[in-house]
Structures are given as structure tokens and as C-alpha cells.
Amino acid sequence: MAPQLATDNDLNQILKETFTTEFRKGYITVNGVCLPERFNKFSQAIEDFEVRDDDVWVCSFPKTGTTWTQEMIWCVANDFDFEGAKVLLPERFPFLEHSVLFDYTTIMPRHPEVKLHRLVSDSVNYVSSRISPRFIKTHLPFHLLPRQLRTGKRKPRIVYVARNPKDTCVSYYHHCRLMEGYRGDFNTFCRLFLGEKLCFTPFWDHILQFWNRREDSNILFLKYEDLKSDLSTVIQKSATFLNKTMSNDQVKALLEHLSFNNMKSNPAVNYEDAVETNKKLKLIDVDGDFIRSGKVNQWQGEMPESIIERFDELTREKLATRNFFF
Ligand code: A3P
């Protein structure tokens, strides 16, 4: 059966009912991209953000292996400083638009016992004030990145990571329930994903913007599926991109450090503190782990046939015609 077509108004209503919370009161569309309405408060600061040539950016659509890529890039760029890697990743490699996604201003006065990191109140300002070399994570699509980056006035290194759309959607669903207060079911979530009503959608255009720039010397384009199938080759590629040399022992140690089980139990990267804080603040009551299953093709058996067809159709139409395959 063909998926039921939902109008924009239907989806907006569903979004409001299933995915607004005290920390995210609504959504807007900015140049074709769905974002929390709080983007308005930070849009100018992001547009005018002073980029530095020695920054290292990890850009991605959510749930495509961003954290895994960040940890790999940080460790290679910092000469395998596993001691330094014990500092929380959001501190070493902050998320530019964190404050756009989560607004704690009305919540915190009720919880004087909970102390949030400075990053939370104004992540754009926090990132801009870091000393060089800065490591910056963002989920913004290319056309919403800071002006200096779009125009090429500054040319920091940019690592983009992409993942199979169906696995991304499954992972995003679990993430939104665990971390962002989504209350609907999986099928509804898929409809929102396809209808471009989830933060940072549309997914396919996000990938294409970076795929089309993959030959630029300051861009490294990676795939989650390649990290899964041959992480040492990806580490080697990343080291070349970052102008770093490394010994076999260092690669071995990094492979161990980045293994799924290690990442899952590493408090510096597994966001257990963020899950805990949100529970304390009574913003979520779902159990689970941020680093969840780490599997390829997990959509099989989870996605209804009609939704799979629509995903495949869009992937063929948007990506395969540009020689991009998962
Ligand atoms: P799943 O939800 O499918 O398990 P992001 O960092 O962009 O939010 O992506 C999170 C996804 O990357 C999650 O996918 C998570 O489990 C997976 N991931 C993180 N570290 C991983 C690792 N070391 N090996 C495999 N997958 C990993």
C-alpha cells in the first residue's frame, strides 16, 4: 500500500503534538531547512561567525556517526593524546548550534541543584571564544554555515560524514525519544523525516551539498559504512588529510579506543551525563544509550515496506544520479 500522503499542515500538526517540549517550543523552516524556532535568536551570530583557517569542523546530518568521527579526528589531530581525550567530547569538540536545539532558560530556575555547562546557554559564543586550534561540530547544511566558510574566505578543514538514510532515520528516531522528547511512534517519525519536518531535514540535500564539494582540498567526505567495514583505512585517510603521521602501534591503540564497546562505555563520548541531566530535569523518561546498536542495515525488519520504497526512491533520484551510493 502506498504511504498515506500527508499535507504540510497535517505534518506541522503532528510535529507540534509529538515533538514540542519545554526546551523546544516550535519549529520554523529556514531556507528550506527545518529548525527549532530558537534558530532565529542565533542565526545572525552563526552567519557572522569568525571562522579560522586552522579550525577543524565535523559536519553531518544527525545520527550518521558524528561522535565516532569527532573522536577519531580529535585523536589523530592531537597526536593520540588518549589522556586528553578523557575530557568530555562536547568540551573538546563543541556543537556550534547546541543552544538552538535546547533552550533551558525557563527550566533551570526550578532546578538550582543542577549545573549546566557554559556551552548550553550560548554555544555559538562558547565556540567562538575557544583558543585555536578549535574543533567544531555542526549539523547545519552547507548553505546555513557561517558566511566566511561558504564564501571560501576562510578554508578550515571540514570532515563530512554520511550514512545510509534508512539507518539514519532509525537511529534518529531512538535518539529523539531518548534525548529530545519525541513522543510519537516510529512510523510517524518516518513520515516526518520524509516530509522534511525534523531538525536539519531535508536529509538528501544535506549530503549532496557536501558530496558536490568532495574534491575541494579542505573537505574530507566519509561514510559511516566505511568506518564500520575498514576503520584503519579511514584513520589513514584522516591522518593524510590532517597532515599527520602515525605508527602502527598508534593506529592499533586508536582502533581499540574507537571500538563500539569502548565508545559505549566511555563517559567522555557516550553522553551519559546529558541523558542523566535530562532525566533529573524531568525532560525525558526513556531509558537507553546514546551509543545504541552501531549496526549497518538495522532498518531491515524495522521499516514498513511502503516507507522503504519512498526512501529508496529518493535515494535513487537524489544521490544515485550524482554517483553516490551506499
Ligand atoms: P545507532 O543509533 O544506529 O546505534 P551521531 O554521533 O551522529 O549521533 O551518531 C550516532 C550513531 O553512531 C549511533 O547509531 C551510534 O551507536 C553510532 N556509533 C557511535 N560510535 C560508534 C562506534 N564506535 N561504532 C559503531 N557505531 C557507533
Side-chain angles (χ1 to χ4, degrees), residues 137-271:
K137 156 186 161 182
T138 181
H139 290 317
L140 291 171
F142 190 86
H143 69 290
L144 295 181
L145 288 176
R147 183 176 50 246
Q148 293 184 343
L149 220 155
R150 291 193 323 268
T151 59
K153 179 169 185 207
R154 296 272 178 264
K155 285 193 178 296
R157 288 189 171 86
I158 298 174
V159 181
Y160 187 81
V161 60
R163 185 181 191 183
N164 173 299
K166 288 172 285 188
D167 281 340
T168 302
C169 180
V170 173
S171 180
Y172 204 9
Y173 164 70
H174 289 286
H175 172 94
C176 288
R177 281 174 53 81
L178 177 67
M179 313 279 286
E180 300 193 10
Y182 174 69
R183 298 174 298 281
D185 62 20
F186 178 59
N187 284 8
T188 306
F189 191 85
C190 292
R191 288 169 68 203
L192 291 170
F193 192 104
L194 290 166
E196 304 174 357
K197 293 290 174 190
L198 294 172
C199 285
F200 306 105
T201 57
F203 170 85
W204 288 266
D205 300 276
H206 201 294
I207 293 189
L208 264 184
Q209 291 184 336
F210 290 88
W211 177 247
N212 291 340
R213 291 173 171 84
R214 68 192 181 283
E215 306 291 349
D216 292 4
S217 60
N218 66 322
I219 293 191
L220 176 68
F221 193 100
L222 302 177
K223 284 196 236 175
Y224 178 90
E225 290 73 16
D226 293 339
L227 271 78
K228 282 288 293 184
S229 64
D230 187 359
L231 187 54
S232 37
T233 298
V234 178
I235 292 173
Q236 189 54 62
K237 258 195 197 169
S238 304
T240 307
F241 179 67
L242 294 166
N243 257 336
K244 293 283 182 184
T245 52
M246 40 188 202
S247 69
N248 288 341
D249 282 350
Q250 283 174 319
V251 176
K252 222 169 129 198
L254 185 55
L255 284 171
E256 177 62 17
H257 180 76
L258 295 174
S259 72
F260 180 76
N261 286 340
N262 259 359
M263 293 268 300
K264 196 173 173 73
S265 60
N266 178 355
V269 299
N270 68 11
Y271 288 96

Side-chain angles (χ1 to χ4, degrees), residues 68-111:
W68 200 9
T69 303
Q70 285 175 275
E71 187 63 357
M72 172 184 69
I73 292 296
W74 191 92
C75 288
V76 173
N78 288 281
D79 303 314
F80 304 84
D81 177 9
F82 295 115
E83 209 36 53
K86 289 184 178 157
V87 172
L88 289 180
L89 184 68
E91 178 125 354
R92 290 180 275 131
F93 212 134
F95 180 22
L96 182 68
E97 66 275 15
H98 183 284
S99 307
V100 171
L101 291 187
F102 302 99
D103 177 6
Y104 289 96
T105 43
T106 57
I107 301 162
M108 292 321 288
R110 296 200 305 273
H111 295 275

Side-chain angles (χ1 to χ4, degrees), residues 13 23 35 59 81 118 125 154 177 204 225 262 267 308:
Q13 188 57 29
F23 58 74
L35 286 167
C59 303
D81 177 9
R118 183 163 81 82
N125 184 270
R154 296 272 178 264
R177 281 174 53 81
W204 288 266
E225 290 73 16
N262 259 359
I308 294 174

